[in-house]
Amino acid sequence: MQVIAAGLPRCATSSLQAALESSHLGYFPCMHMAHVMPSNERAERVLEAMRENDKEKRQALLHKIFDGYQATADFPGFWFIDDLMDMYPDAKLVLNQRKGGDESWLQSWNSSIAFFRTWTYLLLCLPVKNDRLHWHMHYIAKKQMGERWHTNDLDGFYDAYQKFVLEEARKRNREVLTWTAEDGWEPLCKFLGKDVPKEAFPWVNDAATMKFIQRILIARGVASWLAILGGAYAAWTYGPSLVQNASVLVQHLLRQSRQLL
């Protein structure tokens, strides 16, 4: 791991991931939530790490998640930021922030990610294991948030988290670049010792992506429920007659077999 982007989701994490993985910076691959959710196995390992209180055991799990990645941004990296500082002591630390601070961040969260921690999402997507795991990550995070950062859920969480990251870095005598997407390439490249590209900084419209993903997951959940309920209805309606017909067919085959014998 060469670069740890410590910022919260909704702090240009996808844009920063695109920049880090680009040919200009070359930190490929970069861990991101997009690498977690396609894999049930990886999602289960993240959940196991979230539940593990023993630091040594937790970091052993995290090595299985993060080793092989040259950078990290977004979740699950930010949730284990103090662990990652210990695990990768030579990695550069970038605290990607959101212009507008706590108020802007919370508004963006509520309009894009908040749905995934609701009971409505769980109910809709209950038949799909990957979506259940996704919901459980949000559920555990919500339960642990106050204990770890001493906030009332998301109220004041953004500011508390920024303070936490800077304090943990100070304890370890680690230099931190505080950065926003509006800062672009120059401070990031200077901090990482890279040349500044002539191309524009990649801008990923994460809010639009999250809205699209939300619609896809809802549609998949509804389709799964329709398939389950349709199958149950078909079994209830046609099951008895199918069993009866199958019984008649078996008896007929047995009679034919006896005649042949």
Side-chain angles (χ1 to χ4, degrees), residues 42-54:
R42 189 171 292 147
E44 288 173 336
R45 190 165 285 163
V46 170
L47 281 168
E48 187 178 358
M50 293 178 77
R51 295 186 180 109
E52 181 56 69
N53 293 320
D54 183 272

Side-chain angles (χ1 to χ4, degrees), residues 172-211:
R172 296 163 175 80
N173 197 29
R174 299 280 287 273
E175 183 182 4
V176 181
L177 170 68
T178 55
W179 175 92
T180 67
E182 289 77 12
D183 296 332
W185 285 115
E186 188 169 353
L188 186 63
C189 291
K190 182 179 179 181
F191 184 68
L192 298 176
K194 302 285 187 176
D195 294 331
V196 179
K198 295 180 181 179
E199 291 84 352
F201 189 83
W203 186 262
V204 179
N205 190 345
D206 216 18
T209 301
M210 294 306 298
K211 291 284 187 182

Side-chain angles (χ1 to χ4, degrees), residues 44 47 55 57 95 100 106 119 136 169 175 185 220 226 240 261:
E44 288 173 336
L47 281 168
K55 183 177 181 179
K57 292 180 180 178
L95 180 54
L106 187 56
W119 292 100
H136 272 99
E175 183 182 4
W185 285 115
R220 183 170 69 178
L226 289 174
L261 294 173

